[in-house]
Short mmCIF file of all heavy atoms in Angstrom, two decimals:
data_model
loop_
_atom_site.label_atom_id
_atom_site.label_comp_id
_atom_site.label_asym_id
_atom_site.label_seq_id
_atom_site.Cartn_x
_atom_site.Cartn_y
_atom_site.Cartn_z
N ALA A 17 42.70 55.90 110.84
CA ALA A 17 43.95 56.29 111.46
C ALA A 17 44.22 57.76 111.18
O ALA A 17 44.23 58.18 110.02
CB ALA A 17 45.10 55.43 110.95
N ALA A 18 44.43 58.54 112.21
CA ALA A 18 44.71 59.96 112.08
C ALA A 18 46.19 60.23 112.22
O ALA A 18 46.90 59.56 112.99
CB ALA A 18 43.93 60.77 113.13
N SER A 19 46.67 61.21 111.49
CA SER A 19 48.06 61.63 111.58
C SER A 19 48.12 63.14 111.43
O SER A 19 47.15 63.79 111.06
CB SER A 19 48.92 60.94 110.51
OG SER A 19 48.48 61.28 109.20
N GLY A 20 49.28 63.70 111.71
CA GLY A 20 49.44 65.13 111.68
C GLY A 20 49.26 65.71 113.07
O GLY A 20 49.84 65.22 114.03
N SER A 21 48.43 66.73 113.18
CA SER A 21 48.19 67.40 114.46
C SER A 21 47.13 66.66 115.26
O SER A 21 46.03 67.17 115.52
CB SER A 21 47.76 68.85 114.22
OG SER A 21 47.67 69.55 115.45
N VAL A 22 47.47 65.45 115.67
CA VAL A 22 46.49 64.60 116.35
C VAL A 22 46.13 65.14 117.74
O VAL A 22 45.06 64.81 118.26
CB VAL A 22 46.99 63.15 116.45
CG1 VAL A 22 47.13 62.54 115.07
CG2 VAL A 22 48.33 63.10 117.19
N SER A 23 47.00 65.94 118.33
CA SER A 23 46.71 66.48 119.65
C SER A 23 45.55 67.46 119.63
O SER A 23 44.98 67.76 120.69
CB SER A 23 47.95 67.15 120.25
OG SER A 23 48.37 68.24 119.44
N SER A 24 45.20 67.96 118.46
CA SER A 24 44.11 68.92 118.34
C SER A 24 42.75 68.27 118.16
O SER A 24 41.73 68.96 118.14
CB SER A 24 44.36 69.87 117.17
OG SER A 24 44.27 69.20 115.93
N ILE A 25 42.71 66.96 118.01
CA ILE A 25 41.46 66.26 117.74
C ILE A 25 40.57 66.23 118.97
O ILE A 25 41.02 65.91 120.07
CB ILE A 25 41.73 64.83 117.24
CG1 ILE A 25 42.48 64.87 115.92
CG2 ILE A 25 40.42 64.07 117.10
CD1 ILE A 25 42.87 63.51 115.39
N TYR A 26 39.30 66.56 118.77
CA TYR A 26 38.33 66.51 119.84
C TYR A 26 37.35 65.35 119.64
O TYR A 26 37.37 64.38 120.39
CB TYR A 26 37.57 67.83 119.92
CG TYR A 26 36.49 67.85 120.98
CD1 TYR A 26 36.82 67.79 122.33
CD2 TYR A 26 35.14 67.93 120.64
CE1 TYR A 26 35.85 67.80 123.31
CE2 TYR A 26 34.16 67.95 121.61
CZ TYR A 26 34.51 67.88 122.95
OH TYR A 26 33.54 67.89 123.91
N ALA A 27 36.53 65.44 118.63
CA ALA A 27 35.57 64.38 118.35
C ALA A 27 36.03 63.56 117.15
O ALA A 27 36.66 64.09 116.23
CB ALA A 27 34.18 64.96 118.09
N MET A 28 35.70 62.28 117.16
CA MET A 28 35.99 61.40 116.05
C MET A 28 34.73 60.59 115.76
O MET A 28 34.05 60.14 116.68
CB MET A 28 37.15 60.45 116.36
CG MET A 28 38.43 61.14 116.79
SD MET A 28 39.84 60.00 117.00
CE MET A 28 40.24 59.65 115.28
N GLY A 29 34.44 60.40 114.48
CA GLY A 29 33.23 59.68 114.15
C GLY A 29 33.22 59.14 112.74
O GLY A 29 34.18 59.32 111.97
N TRP A 30 32.13 58.48 112.43
CA TRP A 30 31.92 57.87 111.12
C TRP A 30 30.61 58.33 110.52
O TRP A 30 29.58 58.39 111.21
CB TRP A 30 31.92 56.34 111.23
CG TRP A 30 33.28 55.75 111.45
CD1 TRP A 30 33.89 55.49 112.64
CD2 TRP A 30 34.19 55.33 110.43
NE1 TRP A 30 35.12 54.93 112.43
CE2 TRP A 30 35.34 54.83 111.09
CE3 TRP A 30 34.15 55.33 109.04
CZ2 TRP A 30 36.44 54.33 110.39
CZ3 TRP A 30 35.24 54.84 108.34
CH2 TRP A 30 36.36 54.35 109.01
N TYR A 31 30.64 58.65 109.24
CA TYR A 31 29.46 58.96 108.45
C TYR A 31 29.43 58.01 107.26
O TYR A 31 30.42 57.36 106.94
CB TYR A 31 29.48 60.40 107.96
CG TYR A 31 29.25 61.44 109.04
CD1 TYR A 31 30.21 61.67 110.03
CD2 TYR A 31 28.08 62.19 109.07
CE1 TYR A 31 30.00 62.61 111.01
CE2 TYR A 31 27.86 63.14 110.05
CZ TYR A 31 28.83 63.35 111.02
OH TYR A 31 28.62 64.30 112.00
N ARG A 32 28.28 57.95 106.60
CA ARG A 32 28.18 57.13 105.41
C ARG A 32 27.27 57.80 104.39
O ARG A 32 26.41 58.61 104.74
CB ARG A 32 27.66 55.73 105.74
CG ARG A 32 26.19 55.68 106.15
CD ARG A 32 25.77 54.26 106.47
NE ARG A 32 24.35 54.17 106.82
CZ ARG A 32 23.75 53.05 107.18
NH1 ARG A 32 24.43 51.91 107.24
NH2 ARG A 32 22.45 53.05 107.49
N GLN A 33 27.46 57.44 103.14
CA GLN A 33 26.64 57.95 102.06
C GLN A 33 26.36 56.83 101.07
O GLN A 33 27.27 56.31 100.43
CB GLN A 33 27.32 59.12 101.34
CG GLN A 33 26.43 59.82 100.32
CD GLN A 33 26.99 61.15 99.88
OE1 GLN A 33 28.18 61.42 100.03
NE2 GLN A 33 26.14 62.00 99.34
N ALA A 34 25.10 56.47 100.98
CA ALA A 34 24.66 55.45 100.04
C ALA A 34 24.32 56.11 98.70
O ALA A 34 24.05 57.31 98.64
CB ALA A 34 23.45 54.70 100.59
N PRO A 35 24.32 55.34 97.62
CA PRO A 35 23.98 55.90 96.31
C PRO A 35 22.62 56.59 96.32
O PRO A 35 21.62 56.00 96.75
CB PRO A 35 23.98 54.68 95.39
CG PRO A 35 24.91 53.72 96.05
CD PRO A 35 24.70 53.91 97.52
N GLY A 36 22.59 57.83 95.85
CA GLY A 36 21.35 58.58 95.78
C GLY A 36 20.85 59.14 97.09
O GLY A 36 19.74 59.69 97.13
N LYS A 37 21.63 59.01 98.16
CA LYS A 37 21.20 59.50 99.46
C LYS A 37 22.20 60.51 100.01
O LYS A 37 23.33 60.62 99.54
CB LYS A 37 21.03 58.33 100.44
CG LYS A 37 19.95 57.34 100.06
CD LYS A 37 19.78 56.27 101.13
CE LYS A 37 18.66 55.31 100.77
NZ LYS A 37 18.48 54.27 101.82
N GLU A 38 21.75 61.23 101.02
CA GLU A 38 22.60 62.20 101.68
C GLU A 38 23.53 61.52 102.68
O GLU A 38 23.24 60.43 103.19
CB GLU A 38 21.76 63.26 102.39
CG GLU A 38 20.85 64.07 101.47
CD GLU A 38 21.63 64.94 100.52
OE1 GLU A 38 22.70 65.45 100.92
OE2 GLU A 38 21.18 65.12 99.38
N ARG A 39 24.64 62.18 102.96
CA ARG A 39 25.55 61.66 103.96
C ARG A 39 24.90 61.73 105.34
O ARG A 39 24.27 62.73 105.69
CB ARG A 39 26.86 62.45 103.93
CG ARG A 39 27.96 61.86 104.79
CD ARG A 39 29.29 62.58 104.57
NE ARG A 39 29.74 62.48 103.19
CZ ARG A 39 30.92 62.90 102.75
NH1 ARG A 39 31.78 63.45 103.60
NH2 ARG A 39 31.23 62.78 101.46
N GLU A 40 25.05 60.67 106.12
CA GLU A 40 24.41 60.60 107.42
C GLU A 40 25.38 60.13 108.49
O GLU A 40 26.33 59.40 108.22
CB GLU A 40 23.20 59.66 107.38
CG GLU A 40 23.55 58.21 107.10
CD GLU A 40 22.35 57.28 107.17
OE1 GLU A 40 21.31 57.69 107.71
OE2 GLU A 40 22.48 56.13 106.68
N LEU A 41 25.10 60.54 109.70
CA LEU A 41 25.90 60.12 110.85
C LEU A 41 25.63 58.66 111.16
O LEU A 41 24.49 58.21 111.21
CB LEU A 41 25.56 60.98 112.07
CG LEU A 41 26.15 60.51 113.41
CD1 LEU A 41 27.66 60.72 113.43
CD2 LEU A 41 25.49 61.25 114.57
N VAL A 42 26.70 57.92 111.40
CA VAL A 42 26.59 56.55 111.86
C VAL A 42 26.92 56.46 113.35
O VAL A 42 26.17 55.88 114.13
CB VAL A 42 27.51 55.61 111.06
CG1 VAL A 42 27.39 54.17 111.57
CG2 VAL A 42 27.19 55.68 109.58
N ALA A 43 28.04 57.04 113.74
CA ALA A 43 28.45 57.02 115.14
C ALA A 43 29.54 58.04 115.36
O ALA A 43 30.33 58.33 114.47
CB ALA A 43 28.93 55.63 115.56
N ALA A 44 29.58 58.60 116.56
CA ALA A 44 30.61 59.55 116.93
C ALA A 44 30.98 59.35 118.39
O ALA A 44 30.19 58.81 119.17
CB ALA A 44 30.16 60.99 116.68
N THR A 45 32.17 59.79 118.74
CA THR A 45 32.63 59.63 120.11
C THR A 45 33.41 60.86 120.55
O THR A 45 34.09 61.51 119.75
CB THR A 45 33.51 58.37 120.26
OG1 THR A 45 33.91 58.22 121.62
CG2 THR A 45 34.76 58.47 119.38
N LEU A 46 33.30 61.17 121.83
CA LEU A 46 34.00 62.27 122.45
C LEU A 46 35.24 61.76 123.16
O LEU A 46 35.39 60.55 123.36
CB LEU A 46 33.09 63.01 123.43
CG LEU A 46 31.83 63.63 122.83
CD1 LEU A 46 30.98 64.27 123.92
CD2 LEU A 46 32.19 64.66 121.77
N PRO A 47 36.15 62.66 123.57
CA PRO A 47 37.37 62.20 124.26
C PRO A 47 37.09 61.39 125.52
O PRO A 47 37.91 60.55 125.90
CB PRO A 47 38.09 63.51 124.60
CG PRO A 47 37.63 64.48 123.57
CD PRO A 47 36.19 64.12 123.32
N THR A 48 35.96 61.64 126.17
CA THR A 48 35.61 60.90 127.37
C THR A 48 35.19 59.47 127.09
O THR A 48 35.09 58.66 128.01
CB THR A 48 34.47 61.60 128.11
OG1 THR A 48 33.32 61.68 127.25
CG2 THR A 48 34.88 63.01 128.51
N GLY A 49 34.93 59.16 125.83
CA GLY A 49 34.43 57.86 125.47
C GLY A 49 32.94 57.83 125.26
O GLY A 49 32.40 56.79 124.85
N ALA A 50 32.25 58.93 125.53
CA ALA A 50 30.82 59.00 125.30
C ALA A 50 30.52 58.80 123.82
O ALA A 50 31.22 59.33 122.95
CB ALA A 50 30.28 60.34 125.78
N ARG A 51 29.46 58.06 123.54
CA ARG A 51 29.11 57.71 122.18
C ARG A 51 27.79 58.33 121.77
O ARG A 51 26.88 58.51 122.58
CB ARG A 51 29.04 56.19 122.01
CG ARG A 51 30.36 55.49 122.24
CD ARG A 51 30.17 53.98 122.31
NE ARG A 51 31.45 53.28 122.38
CZ ARG A 51 32.13 53.10 123.50
NH1 ARG A 51 31.67 53.57 124.64
NH2 ARG A 51 33.28 52.45 123.48
N ASN A 52 27.67 58.64 120.49
CA ASN A 52 26.45 59.16 119.92
C ASN A 52 26.13 58.35 118.67
O ASN A 52 26.81 58.48 117.65
CB ASN A 52 26.58 60.64 119.58
CG ASN A 52 25.29 61.23 119.04
OD1 ASN A 52 24.22 60.67 119.21
ND2 ASN A 52 25.40 62.39 118.39
N ILE A 53 25.12 57.51 118.77
CA ILE A 53 24.70 56.66 117.66
C ILE A 53 23.20 56.84 117.46
O ILE A 53 22.44 56.73 118.43
CB ILE A 53 25.01 55.18 117.93
CG1 ILE A 53 26.50 55.00 118.24
CG2 ILE A 53 24.60 54.31 116.75
CD1 ILE A 53 26.87 53.59 118.62
N PRO A 54 22.75 57.13 116.25
CA PRO A 54 21.31 57.25 116.01
C PRO A 54 20.57 56.00 116.47
O PRO A 54 21.07 54.88 116.34
CB PRO A 54 21.22 57.42 114.49
CG PRO A 54 22.53 58.03 114.11
CD PRO A 54 23.54 57.39 115.04
N VAL A 55 19.38 56.22 117.00
CA VAL A 55 18.65 55.13 117.61
C VAL A 55 18.39 53.98 116.64
O VAL A 55 18.39 52.81 117.03
CB VAL A 55 17.33 55.64 118.23
CG1 VAL A 55 16.41 56.20 117.15
CG2 VAL A 55 16.64 54.54 119.02
N ASN A 56 18.18 54.29 115.37
CA ASN A 56 17.90 53.25 114.40
C ASN A 56 19.12 52.40 114.05
O ASN A 56 18.98 51.34 113.44
CB ASN A 56 17.31 53.85 113.11
CG ASN A 56 18.26 54.81 112.44
OD1 ASN A 56 18.80 55.72 113.06
ND2 ASN A 56 18.47 54.60 111.14
N LEU A 57 20.29 52.86 114.43
CA LEU A 57 21.52 52.13 114.17
C LEU A 57 22.17 51.60 115.43
O LEU A 57 23.15 50.85 115.35
CB LEU A 57 22.54 53.01 113.44
CG LEU A 57 22.10 53.61 112.10
CD1 LEU A 57 23.20 54.51 111.55
CD2 LEU A 57 21.76 52.52 111.10
N ARG A 58 21.64 51.95 116.57
CA ARG A 58 22.31 51.70 117.84
C ARG A 58 22.55 50.22 118.12
O ARG A 58 23.56 49.86 118.72
CB ARG A 58 21.50 52.34 118.97
CG ARG A 58 22.25 52.47 120.28
CD ARG A 58 21.50 53.42 121.20
NE ARG A 58 21.47 54.78 120.66
CZ ARG A 58 20.70 55.75 121.13
NH1 ARG A 58 19.89 55.52 122.15
NH2 ARG A 58 20.74 56.96 120.59
N GLY A 59 21.68 49.39 117.69
CA GLY A 59 21.82 47.97 117.95
C GLY A 59 22.73 47.25 116.99
O GLY A 59 23.09 46.09 117.23
N ARG A 60 23.14 47.88 115.90
CA ARG A 60 23.92 47.22 114.87
C ARG A 60 25.30 47.84 114.66
O ARG A 60 26.13 47.25 113.96
CB ARG A 60 23.17 47.23 113.54
CG ARG A 60 21.80 46.55 113.61
CD ARG A 60 21.20 46.34 112.24
NE ARG A 60 20.93 47.59 111.54
CZ ARG A 60 21.64 48.03 110.51
NH1 ARG A 60 22.67 47.34 110.05
NH2 ARG A 60 21.31 49.18 109.92
N PHE A 61 25.55 48.99 115.24
CA PHE A 61 26.83 49.67 115.10
C PHE A 61 27.36 50.06 116.46
O PHE A 61 26.60 50.39 117.37
CB PHE A 61 26.71 50.92 114.23
CG PHE A 61 26.42 50.66 112.79
CD1 PHE A 61 25.11 50.50 112.35
CD2 PHE A 61 27.45 50.58 111.87
CE1 PHE A 61 24.83 50.26 111.02
CE2 PHE A 61 27.18 50.35 110.53
CZ PHE A 61 25.88 50.18 110.11
N ASP A 62 28.66 50.03 116.59
CA ASP A 62 29.31 50.55 117.77
C ASP A 62 30.61 51.22 117.35
O ASP A 62 31.13 50.96 116.27
CB ASP A 62 29.58 49.46 118.80
CG ASP A 62 29.80 50.01 120.20
OD1 ASP A 62 29.66 51.24 120.40
OD2 ASP A 62 30.12 49.22 121.11
N ILE A 63 31.11 52.11 118.20
CA ILE A 63 32.31 52.86 117.88
C ILE A 63 33.26 52.80 119.06
O ILE A 63 32.84 52.81 120.22
CB ILE A 63 31.97 54.32 117.51
CG1 ILE A 63 33.19 55.06 116.98
CG2 ILE A 63 31.34 55.05 118.70
CD1 ILE A 63 32.86 56.41 116.36
#
């Protein structure tokens, strides 16, 4: 949930970081509804 200057938001997405690993993209979306999900996660995650 976003608050504050929400009218300025362009892209919204999710990242994750597992123990001992770097933070990685899980899924992101543009104002149009277009989605960007890494191919290895595409079948198991949606945004």
Side-chain angles (χ1 to χ4, degrees):
S19 61
S21 186
V22 295
S23 62
S24 69
I25 296 176
Y26 178 67
M28 305 185 74
W30 286 90
Y31 289 70
R32 70 181 182 182
Q33 187 166 20
K37 297 184 178 181
E38 299 293 325
R39 189 172 299 187
E40 64 176 345
L41 171 70
V42 180
T45 182
L46 299 177
T48 60
R51 296 170 174 83
N52 183 19
I53 305 175
V55 63
N56 61 309
L57 302 177
R58 195 165 295 168
R60 302 191 297 107
F61 292 86
D62 200 5
I63 188 169

